[in-house]
Amino acid sequence: MFHSDEQMRKRLVPALLLVASLAVPATAGDLEDRALVYISSDRTSAGAAVMILELALPLLPRPLTPAVDEDGEPNLATNASLSPDARTVAFEAGGLEPSSLEIYLTEIDRPGVYRNFTRNSAADTAPAWSPDGTMLALISDRDGTPDLYVVDTGTGELSRRLTNSVARESDPAWHPDSVRLAYVSDSDGDKDVYLTDAVGSFHERLTDNEWSDSDPAWHPDGSRLALATTVPGERSAAGDTNLDIVILDVDSGGVEYPVRSAGRDINPAFSPDGRYLAYASDRNGDYELFVYDLETGFEKQVTFNDAADDLFPLWLEER
């Protein structure tokens, strides 16, 4: 599991996996000038690391955190979130038992160094940084069931509990106004997206259908929400339930389908200027990262690593 305090500084895995696949040259917009932060789960070591990928160099990602610790035990990083100044990554990590999960922080310019942000006997998961930088939303079972909480980013102290029910909440996503946030709840049996505010004063249901909705991500204009949704009756190439990326107009209820494939398309993330949508897909067997240009319809695969699942892309840009 991840260690902290006296073992904060760690040596990174000395070599990255190089693959034989050839990268497709960028032909859309300014992609070669951009970068992603993401989670790469290595099936060989069973560990997962926070990675940075310059889109101009798709075969040369570099690790921010190691996939294994100094004792060779797997680190289990997942669910990353980037601070609005693009300097710090919050991520969920821990050992093999869910109760050991905590939130950690690592700095973009200090690879291999990370520290605890939360520390308790509960499972703290799914960090989400508010756009104004003052709050971190997370899911914690510290009071029994997984509920939505807000933590002060300056002190790490718990500020507010926003949900309190027997349902399981997940996937918090801040609205660009830093006042409202979307989250997922299974309170009605399947997963739907809800809206609340930073004090939990209301809870509005945004999706209500036979589908299972997850992974909400706000467009920078605050009017649209990308999410991953099951497609009733459709199966992925692997034979399990298919998932596609849709964009929901929150006011009108209209839905766009920018990404549809025979795989499971998940973890959507808008670029800060709203032009691109990054996401993960297992359409080719394992999870790789893709980028979709919302202006031109151009789509590009940007990671090529058959030995790992690449997930949770974030645009390495200020917002």
Side-chain angles (χ1 to χ4, degrees), residues 219-299:
H219 188 278
D221 67 13
S223 70
R224 290 171 286 170
L225 197 66
L227 50 92
T229 185
T230 57
V231 182
E234 290 189 13
R235 295 288 175 178
S236 72
D240 49 15
T241 303
N242 194 24
L243 283 164
D244 285 331
I245 305 294
V246 302
I247 298 178
L248 170 70
D249 186 300
V250 174
D251 293 329
S252 72
V255 176
E256 301 174 44
Y257 296 82
V259 178
R260 303 194 73 168
S261 77
R264 295 166 64 87
D265 305 318
I266 59 174
N267 304 153
F270 288 105
S271 61
D273 62 1
R275 175 165 182 176
Y276 299 106
L277 186 69
Y279 63 95
S281 177
D282 69 351
R283 66 187 64 177
N284 297 324
D286 64 310
Y287 278 104
E288 304 284 359
L289 300 186
F290 291 76
V291 172
Y292 180 84
D293 188 328
L294 292 162
E295 291 184 6
T296 67
F298 176 82
E299 186 176 48

Side-chain angles (χ1 to χ4, degrees), residues 165-189:
S165 72
V166 296
R168 300 177 66 88
E169 274 72 60
S170 63
D171 303 348
W174 285 96
H175 188 276
D177 64 11
S178 293
V179 174
R180 294 169 288 172
L181 64 163
Y183 66 96
V184 172
S185 176
D186 66 357
S187 58
D188 283 339

Side-chain angles (χ1 to χ4, degrees), residues 1-4 7 10 67-76 93-97 100-102 104 114:
M1 65 179 65
F2 270 82
H3 299 286
S4 56
Q7 293 186 337
K10 295 184 175 289
V68 296
D69 65 19
E70 291 175 341
D71 299 321
E73 295 297 318
N75 291 326
L76 301 177
L96 298 177
E97 296 298 326
S100 67
L101 293 172
E102 303 285 359
Y104 289 77
Y114 46 84

Side-chain angles (χ1 to χ4, degrees), residues 44-313:
T44 301
S45 68
V50 182
M51 308 288 290
I52 294 178
L53 177 69
E54 306 288 342
L55 293 182
L57 300 168
L59 298 184
L60 295 173
R62 50 192 171 92
L64 270 181
T65 65
V68 296
D69 65 19
E70 291 175 341
D71 299 321
E73 295 297 318
N75 291 326
L76 301 177
T78 189
N79 276 332
S81 179
L82 186 66
S83 63
D85 62 7
R87 295 180 179 178
T88 306
V89 180
F91 61 98
E92 163 195 336
L96 298 177
E97 296 298 326
S99 61
S100 67
L101 293 172
E102 303 285 359
I103 306 302
Y104 289 77
L105 302 180
T106 186
E107 306 297 326
I108 293 294
D109 60 356
R110 300 182 71 197
V113 180
Y114 46 84
R115 61 183 175 87
N116 279 87
F117 181 72
T118 63
R119 191 195 304 270
N120 54 63
S121 59
D124 293 334
T125 65
W129 223 299
S130 65
D132 66 6
T134 65
M135 295 171 283
L136 198 73
L138 54 84
I139 303 298
S140 179
D141 65 0
R142 63 189 66 195
D143 292 309
T145 57
D147 277 305
L148 177 61
Y149 293 80
V150 170
V151 176
D152 184 284
T153 56
T155 65
E157 296 298 322
L158 182 67
S159 296
R160 291 173 296 278
R161 182 179 184 179
L162 306 187
T163 63
N164 186 0
S165 72
V166 296
R168 300 177 66 88
E169 274 72 60
S170 63
D171 303 348
W174 285 96
H175 188 276
D177 64 11
S178 293
V179 174
R180 294 169 288 172
L181 64 163
Y183 66 96
V184 172
S185 176
D186 66 357
S187 58
D188 283 339
D190 63 343
K191 290 183 178 181
D192 282 299
V193 180
Y194 291 76
L195 185 70
T196 187
D197 62 9
V199 294
S201 67
F202 72 92
H203 298 274
E204 176 186 350
R205 188 169 180 167
L206 297 182
T207 65
D208 185 3
N209 50 54
E210 60 180 308
W211 304 2
S212 180
D213 302 319
S214 60
D215 295 354
W218 288 99
H219 188 278
D221 67 13
S223 70
R224 290 171 286 170
L225 197 66
L227 50 92
T229 185
T230 57
V231 182
E234 290 189 13
R235 295 288 175 178
S236 72
D240 49 15
T241 303
N242 194 24
L243 283 164
D244 285 331
I245 305 294
V246 302
I247 298 178
L248 170 70
D249 186 300
V250 174
D251 293 329
S252 72
V255 176
E256 301 174 44
Y257 296 82
V259 178
R260 303 194 73 168
S261 77
R264 295 166 64 87
D265 305 318
I266 59 174
N267 304 153
F270 288 105
S271 61
D273 62 1
R275 175 165 182 176
Y276 299 106
L277 186 69
Y279 63 95
S281 177
D282 69 351
R283 66 187 64 177
N284 297 324
D286 64 310
Y287 278 104
E288 304 284 359
L289 300 186
F290 291 76
V291 172
Y292 180 84
D293 188 328
L294 292 162
E295 291 184 6
T296 67
F298 176 82
E299 186 176 48
K300 174 183 173 67
Q301 182 175 340
V302 295
T303 63
F304 304 85
N305 189 350
D306 293 340
D309 286 319
D310 296 329
L311 299 159
F312 302 104

Side-chain angles (χ1 to χ4, degrees), residues 29-43:
D30 57 353
L31 277 182
E32 289 191 332
D33 298 326
R34 303 196 183 214
L36 297 174
V37 174
Y38 66 101
I39 300 293
S40 187
S41 179
D42 187 337
R43 288 191 294 276

